[in-house]
Amino acid sequence: MGTILRWFYDGGTRHRAYLRHGEETADAQLELVIGAGNWQAAMPVAPETSLEDYSEQRLTELARELRSG
């Protein structure tokens, strides 16, 4: 069984990352969700994706991209 939740830090801020099946798409596409205390964003990912595919550095980069819009 793969990881269901990952915690990582960007600077001093703790972030979470998890995978979910999107509710806004008819085919329930898999999404990577990243968030911290006051924000959360999601992006589509390939169906075979697991959280282990992402290094902490990559999760930090994605958090910055998603946060900046």
Side-chain angles (χ1 to χ4, degrees):
M1 183 169 134
T3 303
I4 58 170
L5 178 67
R6 289 223 4 226
W7 294 100
F8 64 97
Y9 286 87
D10 182 6
T13 304
R14 187 176 180 194
H15 289 69
R16 66 192 171 276
Y18 61 93
L19 296 171
R20 73 172 180 204
H21 289 281
E23 299 167 1
E24 298 178 13
T25 59
D27 60 357
Q29 183 172 348
L30 189 62
E31 296 176 325
L32 172 64
V33 181
I34 296 177
N38 61 350
W39 73 274
Q40 179 172 292
M43 59 182 276
V45 294
E48 63 276 358
T49 300
S50 74
L51 285 176
E52 289 86 358
D53 296 336
Y54 297 95
S55 66
E56 188 162 330
Q57 178 181 355
R58 182 63 182 140
L59 287 172
T60 300
E61 292 168 358
L62 290 170
R64 291 175 182 172
E65 289 173 22
L66 290 170
R67 198 171 44 239
S68 67

